[in-house]
Every structure is written in structure tokens, then in C-alpha cells.
């Protein structure tokens, strides 16, 4: 039987760079096949030594990586069409009407664009969006996206792990949280002029530092192998696939590390309905609706919602000391 080198099951291999989406599909199936072959090897007593996870900050283990890879292969078959991903958007800076966002964002200016990374770090820096695209190896990752409203999609993002950027700025020992601040530009964003909305701009969401360092947390620069559409958060947005979509801020201009848990857009807007953690959890209902099922865009019947949106293998360890019901 074909022997699998441990190097073939390292995260670098599973997350191999793929410019071309077609190639990526082949890769996703290949990774799943390796995972299956690995299990078979184990059963026949030919198990290989465990691979060392590259990122020590990540909760990932080789088993979790393999499970993630086979999950990606599953999702490959369920991809939401680009037309749907790009025309059904929550982006309140433009509009609360999901179908109006794409049109209103058509002329949004995404260049020049700078991203400031600062706060409790040894090496604060301001990066140009082009540096983020060229100095960090871009990967394609197929993630589920679950909105707190009860709908979901499967999205092929392009981007790179936020951890790579955070390592460069060197978080100080007392840094515990990371905030992501979106653009404030009422001249370009009509929703920010609605004085009756009560929203506090700019949009800002945050993660615990260990959540931000998890390998699943992706800084996104593209979609379906092309540039990120404006309505999906160009030129830079986050994707945190185990949390409700609102944690994944769009049009990020600033990343700030703090010791205190920051106030966030949704905890300010409605603290009774939106918690800081916002982990996808079928057993913690929203005060006004159940979260036990969801409507996949493009499907008629509802699907069961999965704990941590199906990413428990990768992230459950982050919450071993947290009461998920008391910390929605
Ligand atoms: N700046 C900003 N980021 C945002 C939002 C927003 O209104 N403004 N909406 C959030 C919500 S509620 C969701 S579900 C996702 C939607 O991302 P998508 O339009 O790419 O599907 O973006 C999130 N990021
Ligand atoms: Mo959302």
C-alpha cells in the first residue's frame, strides 16, 4: 500500500496555495483521499508518526487537520453560486436591504487602501493592501458561513491566516483581544448617513487573541479565485467560520490589540440579543428565534445547525473553560 509521508499531512500541505479554483477542487478531493488512506494505514498497523502542527498557537492536531480536509471535500459539492454570494449581503454601511448592497457598493473605492495594525504590539505597522496580497501566501479555503439570522452559504474564500500577520507585529504579553475596525466613510457609504438607525460607526468586531491566532481565522482578499467583490467586504475582510457572520468584519482599516475586552458593534447595538462570543451553537437560541436549524441559500428544506458550525474539532478546545450558554 502507498505510504503517506508525514509531510503530506501537515497543514501546509492541506492548505496548499492554489491560484486556480479548478485546481483547488482537485486538491480538496486529494486531501480527503489522503485522510481516508491514513485511517486505513492506521487500521492495518502501518500508521505513520504523527505530523507536527506548524502553528503551535493553533488548536489543530493532525486528526483535526485531516477532519478539516475531508470537511472541505464535502463542502466542495455544496458551494453556493457566486451570484448568490455576491447578491445577498449584510453590509449595513450601505443598506439593510441585502439585495440592494451590491448595487450601492459598485463604485466603492478599494484602492489606495491602508491597514493599520497596532495597540499592544512590539512592532506596530501600517500595511498597504498590495503588501497584504503579495507578502502573504494566498490560500483558498472553502468555509461554511452561518448568519445569526438563520441562513447559511458555502463560500470559497481566498486569503491568509490572520496569525501570520499577528506574528509579524509581535503581540505583547498583556494583549488579550484583537479588534477589527471597518471603514468610516459616510461619503461613500449611504447607510452611515441614516441618523435614525442608532448604529454606532465605524463597524467594529473583536476576537479573543487565541481565537484570532487559530489557523481557521482567515484574512480574506478574494472569492471564487478572483478579487473580492465590494459587497463582500473588499479589499480586506475577515472569515471566522465557527462564529456567526457578524463577527467577520468587512472593509477592515485597523486591527488593534488590547488587554480589555472591547465593545463591539453588535454588543453596543443590542447587548440582549448579540453576545461577544457569537459561536454558532444550535443549543443557544437567539431571544427571538431558534438556532437549531438553518436555511442554506438555494435550498428549500432546512438543515440542522452544527455546533461551532461544524468546526468543533478545530476550535472546541478554545472553550473548554467557558460556559457557552452563559457566554453567547
Ligand atoms: N463592516 C461590516 N462587516 C460586516 C457586516 C456589516 O454590516 N458591516 N455584516 C456582517 C454580517 S451580519 C454577515 S452575515 C457577513 C455577511 O458577509 P457576506 O455579505 O460576504 O455574505 O458580514 C458581516 N460583516
Ligand atoms: Mo449576519
Amino acid at each position: 500500500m502507498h505510504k503517506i509521508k508525514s509531510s503530506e499531512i501537515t497543514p501546509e500541505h492541506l492548505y496548499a496555495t492554489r491560484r486556480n479554483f479548478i485546481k483547488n477542487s482537485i486538491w480538496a478531493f486529494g486531501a480527503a483521499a489522503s485522510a481516508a488512506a491514513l485511517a486505513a494505514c492506521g487500521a492495518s498497523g502501518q500508521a505513520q508518526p504523527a505530523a507536527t502542527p506548524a502553528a503551535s498557537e493553533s488548536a489543530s492536531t493532525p486528526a483535526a487537520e485531516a477532519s478539516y480536509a475531508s470537511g472541505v471535500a464535502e463542502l466542495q459539492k455544496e458551494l453556493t453560486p457566486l451570484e448568490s454570494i455576491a447578491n445577498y449581503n449584510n453590509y449595513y454601511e450601505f443598506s439593510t436591504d441585502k439585495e440592494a448592497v451590491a448595487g450601492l457598493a459598485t463604485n466603492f473605492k478599494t484602492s489606495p487602501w491602508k491597514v493599520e495594525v497596532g495597540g499592544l504590539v512590539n512592532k506596530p505597522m501600517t500595511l498597504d493592501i498590495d503588501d497584504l496580497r503579495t507578502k502573504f501566501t494566498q490560500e483558498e479555503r472553502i468555509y461554511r458561513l452561518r448568519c445569526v439570522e438563520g441562513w447559511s452559504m458555502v463560500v470559497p474564500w481566498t486569503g491568509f491566516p490572520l496569525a501570520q500577520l499577528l506574528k509579524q507585529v509581535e503581540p505583547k504579553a498583556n494583549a488579550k483581544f484583537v479588534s477589527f475596525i471597518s471603514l468610516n466613510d459616510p461619503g461613500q457609504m449611504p447607510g452611515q448617513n441614516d441618523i435614525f438607525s442608532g448604529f454606532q460607526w465605524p463597524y467594529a468586531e473583536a476576537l479573543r487573541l487565541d481565537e484570532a491566532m487559530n489557523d481557521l481565522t482567515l484574512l480574506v482578499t478574494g472569492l471564487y479565485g478572483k478579487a473580492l467583490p465590494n459587497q463582500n467586504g473588499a479589499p480586506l475582510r475577515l472569515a471566522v467560520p465557527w462564529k456567526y457572520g457578524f463577527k467577520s468584519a468587512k472593509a477592515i482599516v485597523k486591527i488593534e490589540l488590547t488587554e480589555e475586552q472591547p465593545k463591539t458593534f453588535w454588543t453596543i447595538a443590542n447587548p440582549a440579543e448579540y453576545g461577544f462570543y457569537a459561536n454558532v451553537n444550535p443549543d443557544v437560541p437567539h431571544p427571538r428565534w431558534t438556532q437549531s436549524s438553518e436555511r442554506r441559500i438555494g435550498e428549500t428544506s432546512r438543515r440542522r445547525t452544527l455546533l461551532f458550525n461544524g468546526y468543533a474539532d478545530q476550535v472546541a478546545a478554545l472553550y473548554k473553560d467557558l460556559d457557552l450558554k452563559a457566554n453567547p
Side-chain angles (χ1 to χ4, degrees), residues 90 146-149 151 244-246:
N90 274 334
R146 171 61 153 83
C147 176
V148 72
E149 296 163 340
W151 54 266
Y244 291 119
F246 70 83

mmCIF file with all atom_site columns, all heavy atoms in Angstrom, residues 90 146-149 151 244-246, ligand 2:
data_model
loop_
_atom_site.group_PDB
_atom_site.id
_atom_site.type_symbol
_atom_site.label_atom_id
_atom_site.label_alt_id
_atom_site.label_comp_id
_atom_site.label_asym_id
_atom_site.label_entity_id
_atom_site.label_seq_id
_atom_site.pdbx_PDB_ins_code
_atom_site.Cartn_x
_atom_site.Cartn_y
_atom_site.Cartn_z
_atom_site.occupancy
_atom_site.B_iso_or_equiv
_atom_site.pdbx_formal_charge
_atom_site.auth_seq_id
_atom_site.auth_comp_id
_atom_site.auth_asym_id
_atom_site.auth_atom_id
_atom_site.pdbx_PDB_model_num
ATOM   1  N  N   . ASN A 1 90  ? -25.225 41.157 3.919  1.00 0.00 ? 90  ASN A N   1
ATOM   2  C  CA  . ASN A 1 90  ? -25.381 42.026 5.070  1.00 0.00 ? 90  ASN A CA  1
ATOM   3  C  C   . ASN A 1 90  ? -24.188 42.969 5.091  1.00 0.00 ? 90  ASN A C   1
ATOM   4  O  O   . ASN A 1 90  ? -23.029 42.522 5.198  1.00 0.00 ? 90  ASN A O   1
ATOM   5  C  CB  . ASN A 1 90  ? -25.428 41.212 6.369  1.00 0.00 ? 90  ASN A CB  1
ATOM   6  C  CG  . ASN A 1 90  ? -26.829 40.736 6.690  1.00 0.00 ? 90  ASN A CG  1
ATOM   7  O  OD1 . ASN A 1 90  ? -27.811 41.369 6.270  1.00 0.00 ? 90  ASN A OD1 1
ATOM   8  N  ND2 . ASN A 1 90  ? -26.943 39.649 7.425  1.00 0.00 ? 90  ASN A ND2 1
ATOM   9  N  N   . ARG A 1 146 ? -22.375 31.052 8.418  1.00 0.00 ? 146 ARG A N   1
ATOM   10 C  CA  . ARG A 1 146 ? -23.692 30.959 9.077  1.00 0.00 ? 146 ARG A CA  1
ATOM   11 C  C   . ARG A 1 146 ? -24.032 32.316 9.660  1.00 0.00 ? 146 ARG A C   1
ATOM   12 O  O   . ARG A 1 146 ? -23.356 32.807 10.563 1.00 0.00 ? 146 ARG A O   1
ATOM   13 C  CB  . ARG A 1 146 ? -23.625 29.877 10.165 1.00 0.00 ? 146 ARG A CB  1
ATOM   14 C  CG  . ARG A 1 146 ? -24.822 29.785 11.103 1.00 0.00 ? 146 ARG A CG  1
ATOM   15 C  CD  . ARG A 1 146 ? -26.139 29.460 10.385 1.00 0.00 ? 146 ARG A CD  1
ATOM   16 N  NE  . ARG A 1 146 ? -27.077 28.769 11.277 1.00 0.00 ? 146 ARG A NE  1
ATOM   17 C  CZ  . ARG A 1 146 ? -27.881 29.401 12.158 1.00 0.00 ? 146 ARG A CZ  1
ATOM   18 N  NH1 . ARG A 1 146 ? -27.893 30.709 12.274 1.00 0.00 ? 146 ARG A NH1 1
ATOM   19 N  NH2 . ARG A 1 146 ? -28.687 28.664 12.924 1.00 0.00 ? 146 ARG A NH2 1
ATOM   20 N  N   . CYS A 1 147 ? -25.086 32.923 9.128  1.00 0.00 ? 147 CYS A N   1
ATOM   21 C  CA  . CYS A 1 147 ? -25.540 34.215 9.664  1.00 0.00 ? 147 CYS A CA  1
ATOM   22 C  C   . CYS A 1 147 ? -26.426 33.961 10.873 1.00 0.00 ? 147 CYS A C   1
ATOM   23 O  O   . CYS A 1 147 ? -27.187 32.993 10.917 1.00 0.00 ? 147 CYS A O   1
ATOM   24 C  CB  . CYS A 1 147 ? -26.303 35.001 8.606  1.00 0.00 ? 147 CYS A CB  1
ATOM   25 S  SG  . CYS A 1 147 ? -26.982 36.560 9.228  1.00 0.00 ? 147 CYS A SG  1
ATOM   26 N  N   . VAL A 1 148 ? -26.336 34.851 11.850 1.00 0.00 ? 148 VAL A N   1
ATOM   27 C  CA  . VAL A 1 148 ? -27.139 34.753 13.077 1.00 0.00 ? 148 VAL A CA  1
ATOM   28 C  C   . VAL A 1 148 ? -28.636 34.774 12.756 1.00 0.00 ? 148 VAL A C   1
ATOM   29 O  O   . VAL A 1 148 ? -29.458 34.289 13.531 1.00 0.00 ? 148 VAL A O   1
ATOM   30 C  CB  . VAL A 1 148 ? -26.737 35.896 14.057 1.00 0.00 ? 148 VAL A CB  1
ATOM   31 C  CG1 . VAL A 1 148 ? -27.232 37.258 13.563 1.00 0.00 ? 148 VAL A CG1 1
ATOM   32 C  CG2 . VAL A 1 148 ? -27.210 35.626 15.483 1.00 0.00 ? 148 VAL A CG2 1
ATOM   33 N  N   . GLU A 1 149 ? -28.985 35.304 11.560 1.00 0.00 ? 149 GLU A N   1
ATOM   34 C  CA  . GLU A 1 149 ? -30.402 35.368 11.164 1.00 0.00 ? 149 GLU A CA  1
ATOM   35 C  C   . GLU A 1 149 ? -30.975 34.006 10.788 1.00 0.00 ? 149 GLU A C   1
ATOM   36 O  O   . GLU A 1 149 ? -32.192 33.890 10.602 1.00 0.00 ? 149 GLU A O   1
ATOM   37 C  CB  . GLU A 1 149 ? -30.565 36.317 9.961  1.00 0.00 ? 149 GLU A CB  1
ATOM   38 C  CG  . GLU A 1 149 ? -30.196 37.753 10.271 1.00 0.00 ? 149 GLU A CG  1
ATOM   39 C  CD  . GLU A 1 149 ? -29.963 38.599 9.021  1.00 0.00 ? 149 GLU A CD  1
ATOM   40 O  OE1 . GLU A 1 149 ? -29.718 38.040 7.929  1.00 0.00 ? 149 GLU A OE1 1
ATOM   41 O  OE2 . GLU A 1 149 ? -30.023 39.837 9.140  1.00 0.00 ? 149 GLU A OE2 1
ATOM   42 N  N   . TRP A 1 151 ? -29.654 31.846 8.109  1.00 0.00 ? 151 TRP A N   1
ATOM   43 C  CA  . TRP A 1 151 ? -29.340 31.349 6.759  1.00 0.00 ? 151 TRP A CA  1
ATOM   44 C  C   . TRP A 1 151 ? -27.849 31.047 6.676  1.00 0.00 ? 151 TRP A C   1
ATOM   45 O  O   . TRP A 1 151 ? -27.064 31.506 7.508  1.00 0.00 ? 151 TRP A O   1
ATOM   46 C  CB  . TRP A 1 151 ? -29.766 32.344 5.667  1.00 0.00 ? 151 TRP A CB  1
ATOM   47 C  CG  . TRP A 1 151 ? -29.233 33.749 5.817  1.00 0.00 ? 151 TRP A CG  1
ATOM   48 C  CD1 . TRP A 1 151 ? -29.861 34.792 6.424  1.00 0.00 ? 151 TRP A CD1 1
ATOM   49 C  CD2 . TRP A 1 151 ? -27.960 34.241 5.371  1.00 0.00 ? 151 TRP A CD2 1
ATOM   50 N  NE1 . TRP A 1 151 ? -29.054 35.925 6.385  1.00 0.00 ? 151 TRP A NE1 1
ATOM   51 C  CE2 . TRP A 1 151 ? -27.892 35.612 5.744  1.00 0.00 ? 151 TRP A CE2 1
ATOM   52 C  CE3 . TRP A 1 151 ? -26.876 33.674 4.698  1.00 0.00 ? 151 TRP A CE3 1
ATOM   53 C  CZ2 . TRP A 1 151 ? -26.777 36.410 5.460  1.00 0.00 ? 151 TRP A CZ2 1
ATOM   54 C  CZ3 . TRP A 1 151 ? -25.772 34.481 4.422  1.00 0.00 ? 151 TRP A CZ3 1
ATOM   55 C  CH2 . TRP A 1 151 ? -25.735 35.830 4.803  1.00 0.00 ? 151 TRP A CH2 1
ATOM   56 N  N   . TYR A 1 244 ? -20.983 33.282 14.209 1.00 0.00 ? 244 TYR A N   1
ATOM   57 C  CA  . TYR A 1 244 ? -21.978 33.920 13.353 1.00 0.00 ? 244 TYR A CA  1
ATOM   58 C  C   . TYR A 1 244 ? -21.300 34.986 12.489 1.00 0.00 ? 244 TYR A C   1
ATOM   59 O  O   . TYR A 1 244 ? -20.305 35.616 12.898 1.00 0.00 ? 244 TYR A O   1
ATOM   60 C  CB  . TYR A 1 244 ? -23.101 34.516 14.211 1.00 0.00 ? 244 TYR A CB  1
ATOM   61 C  CG  . TYR A 1 244 ? -23.929 33.429 14.869 1.00 0.00 ? 244 TYR A CG  1
ATOM   62 C  CD1 . TYR A 1 244 ? -24.022 33.328 16.254 1.00 0.00 ? 244 TYR A CD1 1
ATOM   63 C  CD2 . TYR A 1 244 ? -24.593 32.471 14.095 1.00 0.00 ? 244 TYR A CD2 1
ATOM   64 C  CE1 . TYR A 1 244 ? -24.755 32.305 16.857 1.00 0.00 ? 244 TYR A CE1 1
ATOM   65 C  CE2 . TYR A 1 244 ? -25.328 31.448 14.681 1.00 0.00 ? 244 TYR A CE2 1
ATOM   66 C  CZ  . TYR A 1 244 ? -25.406 31.365 16.066 1.00 0.00 ? 244 TYR A CZ  1
ATOM   67 O  OH  . TYR A 1 244 ? -26.112 30.345 16.647 1.00 0.00 ? 244 TYR A OH  1
ATOM   68 N  N   . GLY A 1 245 ? -21.847 35.156 11.284 1.00 0.00 ? 245 GLY A N   1
ATOM   69 C  CA  . GLY A 1 245 ? -21.230 36.006 10.268 1.00 0.00 ? 245 GLY A CA  1
ATOM   70 C  C   . GLY A 1 245 ? -20.891 37.410 10.722 1.00 0.00 ? 245 GLY A C   1
ATOM   71 O  O   . GLY A 1 245 ? -19.943 38.011 10.213 1.00 0.00 ? 245 GLY A O   1
ATOM   72 N  N   . PHE A 1 246 ? -21.635 37.944 11.681 1.00 0.00 ? 246 PHE A N   1
ATOM   73 C  CA  . PHE A 1 246 ? -21.399 39.346 12.047 1.00 0.00 ? 246 PHE A CA  1
ATOM   74 C  C   . PHE A 1 246 ? -20.045 39.585 12.694 1.00 0.00 ? 246 PHE A C   1
ATOM   75 O  O   . PHE A 1 246 ? -19.586 40.726 12.769 1.00 0.00 ? 246 PHE A O   1
ATOM   76 C  CB  . PHE A 1 246 ? -22.554 39.908 12.906 1.00 0.00 ? 246 PHE A CB  1
ATOM   77 C  CG  . PHE A 1 246 ? -22.685 39.370 14.303 1.00 0.00 ? 246 PHE A CG  1
ATOM   78 C  CD1 . PHE A 1 246 ? -21.922 39.886 15.339 1.00 0.00 ? 246 PHE A CD1 1
ATOM   79 C  CD2 . PHE A 1 246 ? -23.624 38.380 14.600 1.00 0.00 ? 246 PHE A CD2 1
ATOM   80 C  CE1 . PHE A 1 246 ? -22.072 39.416 16.642 1.00 0.00 ? 246 PHE A CE1 1
ATOM   81 C  CE2 . PHE A 1 246 ? -23.783 37.897 15.899 1.00 0.00 ? 246 PHE A CE2 1
ATOM   82 C  CZ  . PHE A 1 246 ? -23.008 38.419 16.924 1.00 0.00 ? 246 PHE A CZ  1
HETATM 83 MO MO1 . LIG B 2 .   ? -25.154 38.068 9.681  1.00 0.00 ? 2   LIG B MO1 1
#
